[in-house]
């Protein structure tokens, strides 16, 4: 588990949302409170977020975006091919980062060991040191409220930020919306 951040993704009925906090820590010191750990990829059609080493994550973002371009934006194919490359490359296996990637059809966790995991429910996933707090909050809010997707992600991350010392409540979100809305 990376003691660096919290990223939460929610693939709802009408929107896909990813959110992350802004805290960067080094050991027990907060270095920055407003970092951006989420991105739009492939012309804004894919959302991604990272937890772990910032330099490693930027390398992973760039590499993953190349796979997306080669696969013409097919998130499933790009994630599988990316994980194959990650597993066979000795340099990549040493990178200390994880990613969440999603669009309107798919949601994947790309682990630091090259695994591609699709969450069991296909709708919620979280990474980072506060990930389990955010995921638990999101599941409860999803089950017991009628919050829209963006509000659910923000509130869940706020709860994680109040519980995890490596997460703050400086939250940023990106959203993909169905074109029919």
């Amino acid at each position: 588990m990376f003691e660096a951040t919290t990223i939460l993704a929610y693939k709802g009925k009408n929107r896909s949302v990813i959110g992350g906090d802004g805290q960067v820590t080094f050991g027990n010191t907060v270095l920055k409170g407003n970092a951006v750990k989420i991105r739009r990829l492939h012309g804004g059609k894919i959302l991604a977020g990272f937890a772990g080493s910032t330099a490693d994550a930027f390398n992973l973002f760039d590499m993953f975006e190349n796979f997306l371009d080669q696969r013409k934006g097919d998130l499933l194919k790009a994630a599988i091919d990316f994980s194959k490359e990650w597993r066979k490359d000795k340099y990549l296996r040493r990178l200390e980062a994880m990613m969440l990637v999603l669009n309107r059809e798919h949601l994947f966790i790309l682990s630091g060991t090259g695994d591609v995991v699709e969450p069991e429910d296909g709708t919620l996933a979280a990474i980072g040191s506060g990930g389990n707090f955010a995921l638990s909050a999101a599941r409860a809010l999803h089950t017991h409220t009628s919050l829209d997707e963006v509000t659910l992600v923000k509130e869940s991350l706020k709860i994680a930020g109040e519980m995890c010392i490596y997460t703050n409540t400086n939250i940023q979100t990106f959203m993909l919306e169905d074109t029919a809305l």
Side-chain angles (χ1 to χ4, degrees):
M1 187 67 67
F2 295 107
E3 297 174 337
T5 194
T6 302
I7 303 294
L8 175 65
Y10 177 32
K11 189 170 64 71
K13 287 183 182 177
N14 301 310
R15 294 173 192 87
S16 292
V17 180
I18 194 163
D21 75 306
Q23 186 163 299
V24 175
T25 57
F26 183 74
N28 60 0
T29 304
V30 176
L31 296 177
K32 187 175 182 177
N34 63 348
V36 179
K37 302 170 195 169
I38 57 176
R39 278 190 176 180
R40 296 178 185 274
L41 303 176
H42 198 68
K45 297 175 186 169
I46 308 288
L47 303 176
F50 75 89
S53 165
T54 305
D56 289 351
F58 286 134
N59 283 332
L60 293 175
F61 274 144
D62 291 342
M63 291 179 61
F64 188 73
E65 191 152 36
N66 287 335
F67 277 93
L68 278 171
D69 291 343
Q70 291 170 14
R71 304 323 178 262
K72 296 180 177 46
D74 186 321
L75 182 59
L76 176 61
K77 287 182 182 178
I80 291 169
D81 290 346
F82 181 70
S83 73
K84 288 178 185 176
E85 187 66 29
W86 195 334
R87 285 181 165 268
K88 71 181 183 181
D89 188 298
K90 289 180 184 179
Y91 171 74
L92 287 178
R93 283 184 283 173
R94 291 190 204 126
L95 295 181
E96 297 179 5
M98 293 180 74
M99 293 175 59
L100 279 178
V101 293
L102 75 156
N103 60 12
R104 289 298 299 133
E105 292 80 37
H106 299 288
L107 168 59
F108 299 113
I109 301 168
L110 305 178
S111 79
T113 57
D115 293 320
V116 175
V117 179
E118 186 170 25
E120 185 175 350
D121 67 359
T123 60
L124 289 162
I127 58 174
S129 58
N132 287 334
F133 297 122
L135 186 58
S136 295
R139 285 181 178 166
L141 290 171
H142 180 19
T143 302
H144 300 291
T145 70
S146 58
L147 295 174
D148 66 87
E149 294 89 344
V150 174
T151 304
L152 184 138
V153 167
K154 286 181 179 181
E155 290 300 314
S156 299
L157 286 167
K158 182 180 174 190
I159 290 167
E162 292 169 353
M163 299 180 78
C164 176
I165 62 170
Y166 297 105
T167 302
N168 68 14
T169 56
N170 185 357
I171 297 163
Q172 184 173 40
T173 60
F174 290 149
M175 173 184 65
L176 296 174
E177 203 162 16
D178 286 341
T179 54
L181 290 177

